[in-house]
Amino acid sequence: MAMTMTGEIQLAAPREVVWAKLNDPAVLKACIPGCEELEEIDRQGFRAVAKMRVGPVSARFRGKVTLTDLDPPNSYNIAGEGEGGVAGFAKGGAKVRLLERDNGTLLTYQVEAQIGGKLAQLGQRLVNGTAKKLADEFFTNFARSL
């Protein structure tokens, strides 16, 4: 099952501060819902473990996230994949852009993802609703961290 999601959030911090926090493993670990481990493996990648629940399916996902096309403090692309055992897998990417706006920073994102296994059997509405809820929770936590 494929899905796409776009969004934006206005943050009350300069672009350079937002960029630094978007690349700080401790900040990201605290902001990502269900994140149990987040370790920087090189300057452009992280290893992660997160426990997620989508409807009746709960799983611990282990995966890797890679950052590409870095243009500090303006943008980067994120590519990631994770395995959740019998629950299935998720892989995809996002384009993240930071724009100076209204005495702060406008963060925009475009996500494309694919899921398989039991997760894909749950239905598009449930999966999309959960993905939006997780994204909203991440950005609420991230805005608080600034």
Side-chain angles (χ1 to χ4, degrees), residues 1-55:
M1 173 190 305
M3 64 182 214
T4 59
M5 185 171 46
T6 60
E8 63 182 37
I9 183 169
Q10 179 67 36
L11 300 165
R15 213 170 26 164
E16 291 76 13
V17 172
V18 174
W19 177 265
K21 294 210 178 251
L22 279 175
N23 289 280
D24 182 332
V27 171
L28 294 174
K29 180 181 178 192
C31 294
I32 297 169
C35 188
E36 296 175 347
E37 297 176 32
L38 186 69
E39 176 184 11
E40 188 173 28
I41 53 177
D42 57 40
R43 292 298 303 154
Q44 294 178 314
F46 301 93
R47 184 186 60 76
V49 177
K51 187 172 183 181
M52 302 284 167
R53 174 176 282 288
V54 181

Side-chain angles (χ1 to χ4, degrees), residues 52-59 61 119 122-123 126-128 130-131 134:
M52 302 284 167
R53 174 176 282 288
V54 181
V57 177
S58 180
F61 285 86
L119 289 175
L122 293 175
L126 179 59
V127 171
N128 284 346
T130 301
L134 292 171

Side-chain angles (χ1 to χ4, degrees), residues 19 23 43-44 66-72 75-77:
W19 177 265
N23 289 280
R43 292 298 303 154
Q44 294 178 314
T66 304
L67 308 178
T68 61
D69 300 327
L70 280 85
D71 179 18
S75 64
Y76 60 39
N77 293 335

